[in-house]
Amino acid sequence: MRKPNLVGAVVPSSPNLAREMAAVVPTSGRPVVVELGPGTGALSGAISRRLPAGGRQVAIELDGGMVEYLRGELPWLEVIQGDAARLGDLLGEAGIERVDAVVSGLPWSIFPADLQQAILDQVGAVLAPGGAFTTFAYVHALGMSGARQFRRRLDLTFDEVLTSRTVWRNVPPARSYVCRRPHQN
């Protein structure tokens, strides 16, 4: 509540929503999974539980205080401080060219349209063939113009956008989007 322009949720995502979101994480091989906006790490644990041995989990967090918190509370999580709009550069500096899944807890509704698109373009550029991007939206906001515009932006950026059933056991209830096959610009 102290940083409404950076944090879009007043409580962490529930374990139910976290499991729904982590479903895109491959369970075999040596996948690379990137989490955008991990906040307090509510989704991080669910991702880690699905990730096979030898997989790599990287979190991109803008806020320095959250980075320190995550590094202290989740020492197994590889945390990179930076802006998701520079995702390709940040991953390149970490020696990562392609990722198998991107899981986003970013507060899309508080971002201007150009920043939303910049981040989505970066996600599309780093996804490996067959990779998936997932994010969520709160059900109560789905009818708002910003949420409808964001959904259109997803449809314009990815060839496939699937919407989950409502996760009622989350505060507030939410739906996730699973996006595949980014359109090449």
Side-chain angles (χ1 to χ4, degrees):
M1 285 193 266
R2 284 179 271 134
K3 296 183 179 184
N5 59 331
L6 288 176
V7 180
V10 292
V11 296
S13 297
S14 72
N16 297 308
L17 181 59
R19 274 191 306 278
E20 178 83 28
M21 301 273 295
V24 301
V25 174
T27 57
S28 62
R30 299 173 57 89
V32 176
V33 178
V34 173
E35 183 179 3
L36 303 179
T40 59
L43 299 176
S44 303
I47 294 167
S48 176
R49 285 187 288 281
R50 271 190 69 89
L51 196 66
R56 187 171 178 186
Q57 183 176 356
V58 178
I60 307 296
E61 175 59 53
L62 183 62
D63 183 81
M66 292 291 221
V67 168
E68 283 183 42
Y69 171 82
L70 290 165
R71 287 179 178 160
E73 294 296 314
L74 306 176
W76 48 265
L77 182 62
E78 184 178 345
V79 184
I80 297 173
Q81 184 172 0
D83 188 336
R86 294 189 51 248
L87 183 60
D89 292 338
L90 295 172
L91 293 177
E93 291 165 10
I96 299 169
E97 290 182 29
R98 294 278 185 209
V99 302
D100 300 289
V102 177
V103 178
S104 174
L106 292 175
W108 297 102
S109 63
I110 64 174
F111 296 160
D114 59 338
L115 179 57
Q116 289 179 2
Q117 192 61 59
I119 295 170
L120 291 174
D121 289 344
Q122 288 287 300
V123 168
V126 302
L127 273 181
F133 165 66
T134 188
T135 191
F136 67 92
Y138 294 124
V139 172
H140 72 274
L142 290 175
M144 297 176 150
S145 65
R148 289 194 316 273
Q149 290 171 3
F150 178 68
R151 173 55 201 250
R152 273 194 298 278
R153 202 163 283 115
L154 288 175
D155 289 332
L156 292 171
T157 305
F158 295 92
D159 185 48
E160 177 181 69
V161 180
L162 303 174
T163 305
S164 76
R165 288 179 278 176
T166 300
V167 178
W168 293 106
R169 290 183 165 226
N170 191 71
V171 178
R175 288 187 180 168
S176 67
Y177 298 117
V178 176
C179 309
R180 290 188 173 84
R181 295 183 304 279
H183 298 293
Q184 301 303 316
N185 293 335

